[in-house]
Amino acid sequence: MSALEEIRGCGVVRAALALGLEGDAKRGLGPCPSCGAPKRHPSRGDKRGALGVRADGVGWRCWECLKGGDAVDLVRWRAVGAELDRGDPRWADVVAAAAAVGLCTPTDGSPRKPLPPLPVAATRPPPQRPPLAEMEKLWSACSTVDQDAEVGAYLRGRNLYPYSEESLDESRALPREYPWPKWWPQSWSSSWRLVIRAYEPNGDLGSLHARAIDGSEPKTRWPANCAASGLLFADHYGHALLKGDPDLAKGSDFDSVLICEGLADHLAAIRKTREARMACPIIGIASGGAQALAKVRWPVGTKFKVGTHPDKTGEKYVQQILAALPREADVRRIHLEEQGHE
């Protein structure tokens, strides 16, 4: 392996740190060895490093002077500060500069200096969720909505009552009496009684989400002291999709995934698709949760319908959803009718 191949194989971030630049692939690197800019767009107060790093870690580009290249080019700018033709004798200076910091083997045959380890990126702890066993136990203690007069009346009054037996279990009624866990206080039990499941993007149960049936505020609740970020609602077919069920479309008219926002619209979409006898996977997002869609392993060629209300809020959700879906996806927007819920 030649010296230049050794340098190139180190990657941009390791080469930059060995040369004394600061930063990382996510925040950018600086200062630029070509123009000296420490930050990206300094006139705008941008705090990111001047050098952007390509996703594969092989290439870089300065957002100020627009120079770029690979790890070899990074060393070249630092060592000689100029573009070089293939036969330029100053390539020896580039190799010497790289060898001095351990990016390649010295030409005199001496051992290559060890490179310092790359800094370990800080990892965020997983979001705090209710204990899985406790959630499953509480869900099992719920009744179906046809067995609870108050929850059933609430759904009927908003045209959300399940159309078919198939969709009857997509939501449930929380019990009035129960040994309530800390994450679901007993004081909530008389108001927030309509409950649905919320899933991680891989289909694992992540939380429960409830709606008040008596006009209490807030209208909906997540478990106390638990995170709701990164969760999705899903009907039977949507849950199978999240879990990667290969037989999802078997024997159905599965054509595209319907994505909507909020608990009420999710239940309305389930009712309408079942009423039309459509086996359409339905995925719901909570407010601000569209980014979770980016973590779903969508089947190749999946088509999407995004159902929102025709207003500014609906348009905002559309843009968030589009940003999270695969760039090449076939996406069609549909407008939802008002469902009679406040």
Side-chain angles (χ1 to χ4, degrees):
M1 180 184 295
S2 70
L4 296 185
E5 289 174 330
E6 284 188 276
I7 300 169
R8 193 171 289 111
C10 291
V12 169
V13 174
R14 188 181 290 275
L17 297 180
L19 293 171
L21 278 67
E22 297 181 348
D24 55 38
K26 184 176 181 180
R27 295 179 292 121
L29 299 160
C32 172
S34 172
C35 68
K39 301 294 182 182
R40 184 181 306 189
H41 311 309
S43 62
R44 305 180 200 170
D46 198 319
K47 296 181 180 181
R48 293 171 292 179
L51 306 187
V53 181
R54 213 165 68 188
D56 60 10
V58 174
W60 61 275
R61 180 175 183 265
C62 175
W63 290 90
E64 277 297 294
C65 68
L66 303 183
K67 298 293 184 183
D70 56 19
V72 172
D73 297 300
L74 201 65
V75 179
R76 173 176 54 78
W77 280 110
R78 173 56 67 89
V80 301
E83 304 276 3
L84 298 179
D85 294 329
R86 180 176 296 183
D88 196 304
R90 287 177 292 177
W91 279 112
D93 297 328
V94 175
V95 172
V101 294
L103 294 173
C104 67
T105 303
T107 56
D108 62 7
S110 58
R112 179 176 170 177
K113 292 184 178 180
L115 283 169
L118 286 172
V120 178
T123 57
R124 293 182 179 181
Q128 182 67 37
R129 309 288 196 214
L132 179 59
E134 293 182 9
M135 280 194 293
E136 292 177 334
K137 184 178 179 181
L138 178 54
W139 181 258
S140 296
C142 295
S143 59
T144 55
V145 294
D146 64 329
Q147 296 172 328
D148 190 285
E150 289 185 350
V151 173
Y154 173 86
L155 291 172
R156 288 188 181 90
R158 287 151 184 81
N159 199 27
L160 299 174
Y161 195 79
Y163 173 79
S164 65
E165 290 293 327
E166 179 188 29
S167 58
L168 189 61
D169 198 35
E170 303 289 0
S171 60
R172 289 188 181 183
L174 284 168
R176 288 191 173 278
E177 300 294 332
Y178 188 79
W180 300 101
K182 292 181 179 179
W183 49 270
W184 201 268
Q186 182 177 0
S187 59
W188 295 0
S189 62
S190 61
S191 298
W192 291 271
R193 302 197 56 235
L194 173 65
V195 64
I196 64 175
R197 290 168 290 193
Y199 299 98
E200 306 288 354
N202 66 357
D204 291 345
L205 180 62
S207 192
L208 300 177
H209 188 47
R211 174 98 179 189
I213 63 170
D214 60 359
S216 295
E217 293 290 339
K219 293 178 182 178
T220 61
R221 279 200 183 277
W222 292 95
N225 302 316
C226 295
S229 60
L231 294 173
L232 299 166
F233 309 134
D235 73 332
H236 170 76
Y237 296 106
H239 185 232
L241 186 150
L242 296 180
K243 297 291 286 185
D245 184 348
D247 295 325
L248 171 66
K250 190 174 183 180
S252 76
D253 54 358
F254 169 53
D255 174 62
S256 58
V257 176
L258 174 59
I259 299 176
C260 52
E261 190 278 332
L263 184 153
D265 283 347
H266 180 67
L267 294 181
I270 293 173
R271 185 187 187 281
K272 285 181 175 294
T273 56
R274 300 301 185 268
E275 187 175 12
R277 302 191 183 282
M278 294 172 57
C280 172
I282 300 171
I283 302 293
I285 60 171
S287 178
Q291 68 275 10
L293 297 170
K295 297 181 179 180
V296 177
R297 298 184 64 180
W298 303 106
V300 176
T302 297
K303 298 179 181 180
F304 299 91
K305 294 177 182 176
V306 179
T308 63
H309 296 288
D311 53 23
K312 290 183 179 180
T313 301
E315 183 61 33
K316 180 186 71 172
Y317 289 133
V318 168
Q319 296 307 315
Q320 293 174 353
I321 291 169
L322 290 177
L325 293 178
R327 184 174 300 178
E328 69 284 359
D330 181 339
V331 183
R332 183 163 67 91
R333 181 178 181 180
I334 60 175
H335 287 156
L336 298 178
E337 300 175 4
E338 292 297 332
Q339 300 305 323
H341 55 275
E342 67 276 16

